[in-house]
Structure formats: structure tokens, C-alpha cells
Amino acid sequence: TYFLLAGYIFFDAGSDLLAAEPPQATWYGLAIAGVSLTLMPALFLWKYRLGKQIGSASLIADAKQSLACMFLSVALLFGLLLHYAFGLWWADPAAALVIAVLVLREGWELWRGGHACGCGPMKM
């Protein structure tokens, strides 16, 4: 799922950059980003601690995806702020691309070292 998430972010942010598409804020989008900023850190901590406690690498990986969701919300709000305050329309997709690289890296790390959870490459 890390690779799917990173692919979607690359496609969406890359399309916005290539089309020079400025972000369009909606009250719904801002509300969702705000809720994400308040809930995702707590959800991350809960999943991460529980994953460590029960020894579940997949739950720890899922916790990190919750953290990625929070970072995307931060990028969205920061990008909108830069756009509306300084006219930097590209800030939101540029920040999203940085986060996509981090998500892709996390997925790659999990894929390479994920043998303990059974989610790494299979050996024949």
C-alpha cells in the first residue's frame, strides 16, 4: 500500500505541477485536513505502541501510514498558506512530492526488511 499511496501522490502532485494548477481550498478539504492533524498523531501512537507490544510489524507499518497521512495534511495546509499569502501555487504539490519520496522510501525499506512480518520478498 505504500507503493500505491506514493504512486497516487506522485501522479496527483506531478499533474498539478505540469498543468500549473493552483490549489483550490474548500471548507470540506480544510476540515478533513484539520481533523487529520488532530486525530492522526494519536492514531499513529496507539497503533505503533500496540504493534510494538504485540510484536506486529504490519501494525507498526500501518501506524507509519497514519503518520504519512498527517504529514500530507500538514503539506496541504502549509501549501495553501504559502499560496494564499505569497502566491506560491506550486508549494502544495512540491511538498506532496517530498512526502511521496518519503512514503516510497518507507515502503522500500519495509519491502527489503519485511521478512519478519511475511511482507518482504519471497525466497524460492
Side-chain angles (χ1 to χ4, degrees), residues 16 22 27 35 48 51 55 61 71 92 100:
D16 287 348
W27 288 111
V35 168
Y48 187 80
F71 286 132
D92 177 51

Side-chain angles (χ1 to χ4, degrees), residues 16 21-34 37 71-96:
D16 287 348
E21 179 97 19
Q24 297 179 359
T26 65
W27 288 111
Y28 298 117
L30 291 173
I32 290 170
L37 280 178
F71 286 132
L72 285 170
S73 295
V74 169
L76 168 79
L77 294 173
F78 189 67
L80 287 174
L81 173 70
L82 289 176
H83 171 63
Y84 288 113
F86 304 108
L88 302 176
W89 64 268
W90 50 266
D92 177 51

Side-chain angles (χ1 to χ4, degrees), residues 11-90:
F11 175 78
D12 191 51
S15 298
D16 287 348
L17 280 173
L18 288 175
E21 179 97 19
Q24 297 179 359
T26 65
W27 288 111
Y28 298 117
L30 291 173
I32 290 170
V35 168
S36 174
L37 280 178
T38 57
L39 293 181
M40 287 301 160
L43 187 59
F44 161 75
L45 284 174
W46 179 74
K47 287 178 180 180
Y48 187 80
R49 288 177 182 161
L50 183 60
K52 284 286 194 182
Q53 186 179 24
I54 65 174
S56 173
S58 62
L59 187 55
I60 292 169
D62 188 57
K64 291 180 180 179
Q65 280 191 335
S66 297
L67 196 59
C69 178
M70 185 203 67
F71 286 132
L72 285 170
S73 295
V74 169
L76 168 79
L77 294 173
F78 189 67
L80 287 174
L81 173 70
L82 289 176
H83 171 63
Y84 288 113
F86 304 108
L88 302 176
W89 64 268
W90 50 266

Side-chain angles (χ1 to χ4, degrees), residues 91-104:
D92 177 51
L97 288 175
V98 170
I99 292 169
V101 169
L102 296 174
V103 169
L104 188 61

